[in-house]
Amino acid sequence: MNMPRDALAVIIAVSMVSAIGGLVFNTMPLLLSAAKTDFDMGPAQLGSLSFMAGIGYLLGTLTAPLWVDRVNWRLTAFAIILAVICVCLTMSQVSSRALFVGFIGYGFFCALAIALAMRILADMPDPERAYGTRLSVELVSIGAFLSILPIIFIAKFGFSGAMLGLACMAGLLGLGALLCPPKTSTIDVATRISFPTWQRAHISWKILIIFTLYLLANVGLYFFLAVIAQKFEPSQEQFSLMFGVLKWLGGVAGALGAIIGARAGLRVPHYAAMIILIIGVAGLLLAQNFTQFMIASWVWEFGFTLGCLYQTAAIVRFDRSNKLVMLVPMGFGISTMLGGRIAGQMLEGGAVHGLYIWVVVSSLLPSIFILCSSMEPPLQAAND
């Protein structure tokens, strides 16, 4: 593939498209909170909403290998963006019953955006820096959006306003499609859509499975942060501060990972991310007021984002085909589908402590695997 000389500009542009794919995940807590208010839904019903979004997200992810190397990437990015905007505008006008169907479409087209972006970035040198930049751009831009979503769109127009805001945000982020590479490589299509065997990339396959389990619990917690926080009776302005800063700190984590790259090795960053995440969960559990809960959520987000970055980069580093990274959104799809559903059922039964324990146990898995594994870095330099 012929990439423009300014690789950083391309990475940033592709990251903007990726951020559209990230909207379904990053806005879910506020969407569920708005749906709870407007449609009088309980935790189990809200979990079902995220389940439907997860179905759409998973379906979109699974189609990616069939088309992502066959199409013009730039034109496809524009088509996906238009579809996301149309779905969001439609959802702003539907009834509570039709909402479940709308969430399938919302998840599906967002998944196409992030799958396309992940494939493009897999061709970039130094995966930690490429995916770190992606996370930083995605989370900083979404953080800015989340800081105004509750106080402008939701406070005035409820759930319908949230979807109108999402349509506007998708349009702004869609400008990144202008700098997306227009063409794929010229290798045989049959080769491009095939995934590496377990024997050739068993470490990457294992990390992908563990990453999905990691996401399952942490995504479930994230989706219900706003619902759990309602026991402190926060205002929309407080929610704005909480989720805006939360995503900005996630962006800082992504930028930090991009700057450090693999200089700290391929193991230590996983341990650091785990420790930070567990400190955040402990803070959520022990919080006595909204301010404490909010700060703890920021700490948790920082560790969670670092964990996502380094696990994604590890999948790329140990898979020379650059194909398995396209299944990372599948992990988010499964976690969106099941994580929110399981978390909703836990909260319906009053088991918020059980949710926190689940998150901690799942977050230990990547570090345990890294600690027990005898894997060695691949041939590419880790300290460029």
Side-chain angles (χ1 to χ4, degrees):
M1 183 184 71
N2 296 321
M3 298 294 295
R5 293 182 179 180
D6 193 348
L8 179 59
V10 173
I11 291 175
I12 292 174
V14 174
S15 298
M16 291 172 66
V17 175
S18 175
I20 296 174
L23 287 174
V24 67
F25 166 75
N26 289 299
T27 63
M28 191 62 71
L30 293 176
L31 293 185
L32 295 182
S33 180
K36 180 179 184 296
T37 301
D38 285 13
F39 302 110
D40 193 28
M41 293 182 175
Q45 288 178 299
L46 297 176
S48 295
L49 274 182
S50 67
F51 178 80
M52 302 306 285
I55 288 178
Y57 206 93
L58 183 59
L59 289 174
T61 299
L62 293 177
T63 68
L66 302 177
W67 58 265
V68 74
D69 278 319
R70 296 173 178 265
V71 300
N72 181 296
W73 285 342
R74 184 180 297 166
L75 294 179
T76 302
F78 279 117
I80 293 171
I81 292 159
L82 180 61
V84 171
I85 293 173
C86 290
V87 168
C88 289
L89 291 176
T90 300
M91 287 178 64
S92 69
Q93 303 298 321
V94 300
S95 64
S96 59
R97 186 169 298 179
L99 202 60
F100 290 88
V101 178
F103 264 68
I104 295 177
Y106 178 46
F108 179 81
F109 290 111
C110 284
L112 299 187
I114 200 168
L116 176 62
M118 296 291 274
R119 174 61 188 91
I120 297 173
L121 291 177
D123 284 350
M124 294 291 183
D126 197 332
E128 285 83 7
R129 291 176 183 171
Y131 289 108
T133 301
R134 165 192 163 262
L135 276 174
S136 182
V137 171
E138 177 176 325
L139 295 179
V140 168
S141 60
I142 291 179
F145 176 59
L146 292 181
S147 68
I148 65 172
L149 181 62
I151 59 177
I152 294 180
F153 294 99
I154 295 178
K156 294 182 179 180
F157 306 107
F159 182 84
S160 294
M163 299 314 301
L164 289 173
L166 281 169
C168 294
M169 188 61 179
L172 289 174
L173 292 171
L175 296 176
L178 294 170
L179 290 182
C180 280
K183 296 182 180 179
T184 66
S185 55
T186 57
I187 61 176
D188 181 68
V189 168
T191 301
R192 282 185 262 139
I193 66 175
S194 62
F195 289 108
T197 63
W198 180 273
Q199 183 177 7
R200 290 185 58 193
H202 64 97
I203 293 178
S204 289
W205 278 109
K206 290 175 182 177
I207 296 173
L208 178 63
I209 293 170
I210 292 171
F211 185 38
T212 301
L213 296 175
Y214 171 87
L215 289 173
L216 197 66
N218 282 280
V219 167
L221 172 60
Y222 176 71
F223 282 0
F224 283 90
L225 276 179
V227 174
I228 297 172
Q230 285 183 357
K231 66 181 180 180
F232 300 116
E233 299 182 351
S235 65
Q236 291 295 343
E237 288 74 15
Q238 287 176 307
F239 269 146
S240 172
L241 176 64
M242 174 180 169
F243 284 99
V245 174
L246 185 140
K247 287 303 162 187
W248 288 332
L249 284 175
V252 171
L256 180 64
I259 293 170
I260 294 175
R263 289 183 174 87
L266 301 182
R267 297 175 186 270
V268 173
H270 292 273
Y271 306 148
M274 175 197 67
I275 292 171
I276 296 170
L277 186 152
I278 291 176
I279 291 174
V281 173
L284 293 173
L285 174 63
L286 300 174
Q288 298 298 312
N289 54 55
F290 182 75
T291 298
Q292 293 176 5
F293 187 89
M294 177 173 61
I295 294 173
S297 75
W298 296 343
V299 176
W300 166 81
E301 168 73 12
F302 195 90
F304 174 53
T305 303
L306 276 181
C308 289
L309 163 59
Y310 278 99
Q311 288 176 71
T312 300
I315 292 169
V316 175
R317 281 197 173 275
F318 294 93
D319 170 31
R320 295 183 180 180
S321 73
N322 285 342
K323 300 296 189 301
L324 283 182
V325 71
M326 288 190 294
L327 294 183
V328 168
M330 180 187 71
F332 278 95
I334 292 173
S335 61
T336 299
M337 182 173 64
L338 298 179
R341 186 75 174 268
I342 295 171
Q345 293 292 343
M346 284 183 169
L347 293 178
E348 188 81 14
V352 66
H353 290 183
L355 175 57
Y356 292 144
I357 292 172
W358 181 36
V359 170
V360 170
V361 171
S362 298
S363 299
L364 288 171
L365 295 179
S367 292
I368 292 174
F369 175 75
I370 294 294
L371 180 64
C372 297
S373 175
S374 61
M375 66 184 188
E376 296 294 333
L379 293 178
Q380 68 250 49
N383 296 302
D384 292 341

